[in-house]
Amino acid sequence: MPYTITLIPGDGIGKEISSAATRVIEATGLKIDWDIHEAGMSAIEKYKDPLPQAVIDSIARNKVALKGPLTTPIGTGFRSVNVALRKEFELYSNLRPAKSFDGVRSRYQNVDLVIVRENTEEFYSGIEHYVDAKRSAAETIGIVTRTGSERIIRFAFDYARSHGRKKVTVVHKANILKYTSGLFLDTARSMAKEYPEIEMNDKIIDNMAMQMVINPHQFDVIVTTNLFGDILSDLASGLVGGLGIAPGANLGYDTAIFEAVHGSAPDIAGKKIANPAAIILASAMMLEHLGESDAARRIENAVAAVIKDGRKVTKDLNPDHCVSTDEMADAIIEKL
Ligand code: NAD
């Protein structure tokens, strides 16, 4: 039986990298019926709505989606469709691995850490406003709940346990944000007792940013609130060679959306130079989620082999000798 999966190609470089990903997935021999829908800027142009009901209905039906990046206007305009989808389907866990690949010119080798970011609460609540008509001040309300903290911290410890990882680092700012970050840290300290075989430590966000840059090897699983997790996962991808190789999964109770960590990269859109590896690695995470571990491993190994070889990779990985998005996807398919 073929899988039916919602595909949102996305904005900017979205279409280029999504078509590379679907070609790679199909090359594993799996049969997929893609339920294709527009969201974001392209949906505004067509339907005057960045998140048409048809997109929500499709994901609700299929329970699994592969999503290209969606543009969110900065400062004005419509609210993030990414945030709306995470809220709509209660995708409370944003899993973002950062792993070194042989052959990537990056600051570090042998980094293998996983960021577990709370994905629905705190400063991404969308509850914000100017305090007066003159816009002299603005307020954003960041709510951290005990239930929200418990479920993401449990996810992190369970992930560590099931993936043979040894340590969970809880990142917070509880010295200043005594209630919101404090609640998150307290919850983690209590829950850690249920996982005696896993070491737990905690770091204040500012020190954490410095520690990750100085010695990322000291970290294993990192769990944190929404905004800190968003920032640290870009930082982590920078440690291992950039956004072009950083995949992510948004996981809820019964629905999951897989995507690259990066955005729609308007600066390189249409140039056919975007690295498709991040969304292809996100596709491997999706296949793992569907129970297709063999196909997932094959894709990961093929991506790793092409990156290690270094001759058929995009400009971000090898500026001196690079190929197009499609040619890199072809090389990955060949390695499969
Ligand atoms: P970005 O991630 O799009 O780009 C940052 C830098 O990384 C750019 O120089 C870009 O060229 C480069 N880059 C990103 N992906 C790449 C790839 N696959 N290959 C090679 N280089 C790549 O971040 P931004 O410019 O801050 O954001 C652009 C838009 O994307 C914004 O509207 C933002 O809201 C949106 N965004 C969406 C998502 C998402 O859909 N999940 C995530 C982040 C940002």
Side-chain angles (χ1 to χ4, degrees):
M1 261 253 300
Y3 292 102
T4 306
I5 296 174
T6 303
L7 175 69
I8 302 171
D11 297 319
I13 58 171
K15 287 196 173 59
E16 300 158 55
I17 57 168
S18 307
S19 77
T22 54
R23 285 200 298 122
V24 170
I25 295 170
E26 284 160 17
T28 65
L30 289 174
K31 297 274 171 285
I32 314 278
D33 279 342
W34 298 107
D35 191 4
I36 302 174
H37 290 272
E38 307 268 9
M41 284 295 187
S42 36
I44 294 242
E45 281 152 24
K46 265 197 190 164
Y47 311 111
K48 309 222 170 335
D49 180 357
L51 183 54
Q53 186 61 37
V55 180
I56 293 174
D57 292 346
S58 167
I59 300 173
R61 224 176 18 249
N62 301 325
K63 309 284 184 219
V64 178
L66 182 63
K67 189 185 79 58
L70 298 173
T71 299
T72 310
I74 295 174
T76 58
F78 61 87
R79 289 200 171 278
S80 166
V81 173
N82 300 308
V83 173
L85 285 172
R86 291 166 193 164
K87 276 186 189 290
E88 175 72 30
F89 294 103
E90 231 180 321
L91 306 175
Y92 65 89
S93 177
N94 189 192
L95 186 63
R96 292 180 159 184
K99 197 168 178 244
S100 297
F101 284 92
D102 287 347
V104 176
R105 294 176 208 173
S106 59
R107 284 185 173 60
Y108 293 100
Q109 294 302 317
N110 302 319
V111 172
D112 181 11
L113 55 84
V114 176
I115 295 183
V116 177
R117 162 194 176 195
E118 202 294 319
N119 217 15
T120 51
E121 298 197 331
E122 198 218 22
F123 294 117
Y124 291 65
S125 63
I127 309 169
E128 55 177 356
H129 63 110
Y130 286 104
V131 301
D132 58 15
K134 284 194 215 149
R135 301 190 166 192
S136 55
E139 179 182 38
T140 296
I141 298 178
I143 296 170
V144 173
T145 67
R146 196 168 292 282
T147 306
S149 302
E150 277 170 359
R151 67 183 177 181
I152 193 68
I153 292 162
R154 186 166 297 290
F155 180 97
F157 276 101
D158 284 344
Y159 182 90
R161 184 174 269 174
S162 61
H163 289 76
R165 290 185 176 259
K166 304 276 177 281
K167 184 158 99 177
V168 172
T169 301
V170 181
V171 179
H172 61 87
K173 187 74 187 175
N175 52 333
I176 305 296
L177 304 171
K178 289 187 191 297
Y179 294 90
T180 46
S181 246
L183 188 155
F184 194 78
L185 178 59
D186 278 352
T187 307
R189 283 185 174 146
S190 317
M191 198 167 280
K193 296 185 187 120
E194 296 176 40
Y195 300 82
E197 79 282 18
I198 295 165
E199 180 191 341
M200 178 222 151
N201 67 356
D202 71 274
K203 294 248 178 291
I204 296 174
I205 177 68
D206 31 353
N207 177 33
M208 181 69 184
M210 191 266 292
Q211 295 284 340
M212 278 176 74
V213 171
I214 285 190
N215 177 16
H217 299 109
Q218 63 184 300
F219 299 112
D220 193 351
V221 175
I222 295 164
V223 63
T224 188
T225 44
N226 206 337
L227 180 60
F228 298 159
D230 198 5
I231 297 168
L232 287 186
S233 49
D234 269 38
L235 190 157
S237 74
L239 297 174
V240 297
L243 286 168
I245 52 173
N250 300 283
L251 307 167
Y253 296 104
D254 65 351
T255 305
I257 300 181
F258 297 83
E259 62 181 343
V261 170
H262 63 70
S264 54
D267 52 338
I268 57 167
K271 295 184 179 166
K272 301 185 186 339
I273 58 169
N275 188 341
I279 196 164
I280 292 173
L281 291 167
S283 309
M285 292 174 83
M286 179 180 80
L287 296 184
E288 185 75 56
H289 172 83
L290 290 170
E292 297 289 350
S293 302
D294 180 54
R297 280 303 83 67
R298 285 173 60 212
I299 291 178
E300 282 167 4
N301 292 341
V303 170
V306 168
I307 292 176
K308 186 174 181 185
D309 180 70
R311 283 175 304 168
K312 293 198 172 157
V313 295
T314 44
K315 194 174 167 190
D316 54 316
L317 294 183
N318 187 351
D320 306 326
H321 184 83
C322 53
V323 298
S324 70
T325 307
D326 277 339
E327 286 165 329
M328 182 165 171
D330 290 341
I332 293 168
I333 290 169
E334 217 168 279
K335 292 278 184 202
L336 281 172

